[in-house]
Structures are given as structure tokens and as C-alpha cells.
Amino acid sequence: VDFASRAISIARRKVQAAKVSAELHVADVTRLDGITGSFDLVLDLGCYHGLQEKEKGLYLDQLIRVSAPGGFWLLYGFFKASTAQAGPGLVPNDIDRILTRFGLVSRKDGVDKQDRPSAYFLFKKK
């Protein structure tokens, strides 16, 4: 799922080249109405940290709905310097909100290409 049709087009070409089967959708992660099923793994490389506060809650609602019981969510994001800073980035409250719905399996901290603190998180649906 990606909101950018160009990203989905590129993914389709990669899926065909790899000769694998995949279901790809252009959609808003806060409204995954056309997506059904129960997924064992959801991969998020930089989506959650770019959403507005209200959108983050809606996205988590959708993740809970489409994730299999005991399913995993692999999340990558970078952190804001402070909660008062505008723009994208994770803040401590984001992690607290996630932990009400998912258990933390692992966390690997690092820095991104712009020298911002970042982390990979592996969560498991409660």
C-alpha cells in the first residue's frame, strides 16, 4: 500500500521481474477499506512518522484490523528533536500509543542519512 501511484507502479515492475505474487494498492493508510485479510507482517518504512496526530490513531486502527492475531509490524522512523518541533518525526508519545496495541519485540537505534536519530521497531499484535 502506498499513496503514490508511481511507487506502486515501480513495485509492480519489481514483483513481475522477481516472478512472485503480491497484492499492491494505491491507498491512504488511514482508510484501507478495500483491503481485507489477515496479514502476518506489515512493513512500514517511514510512513507512520510522517502522519499527523489524528492520522496516526486511524492508521493504528487499520493496522489492528488487517494484522493477523500475533502478527508483526516492522516500523522504521526517525525522531524529532523535540515534541514542539513541527513536521515529521517520532516522539515518545508515539511509542507509548503503539504499545497500547502492540507489544515491543525489538528495537534497533541508529541515525539516518541526515544524521537524525532513528530506529527500527518490531512490534507484535497483542
Side-chain angles (χ1 to χ4, degrees), residues 14 21 40 57-58 63 71 79 87-88 94 102 108 110:
K14 289 181 178 184
S21 175
D40 295 321
L58 295 170
L63 284 177
F79 294 92
D94 290 325
F102 291 86
K108 178 152 177 67

Side-chain angles (χ1 to χ4, degrees), residues 80-96:
K80 290 184 183 188
S82 77
T83 56
Q85 181 183 0
L90 296 170
V91 295
N93 184 51
D94 290 325
I95 307 308
D96 293 340

Side-chain angles (χ1 to χ4, degrees), residues 61-89:
D61 291 343
Q62 294 300 310
L63 284 177
I64 291 298
R65 184 180 67 78
V66 302
S67 297
F72 293 93
W73 179 30
L74 179 58
L75 168 68
Y76 169 79
F78 62 81
F79 294 92
K80 290 184 183 188
S82 77
T83 56
Q85 181 183 0

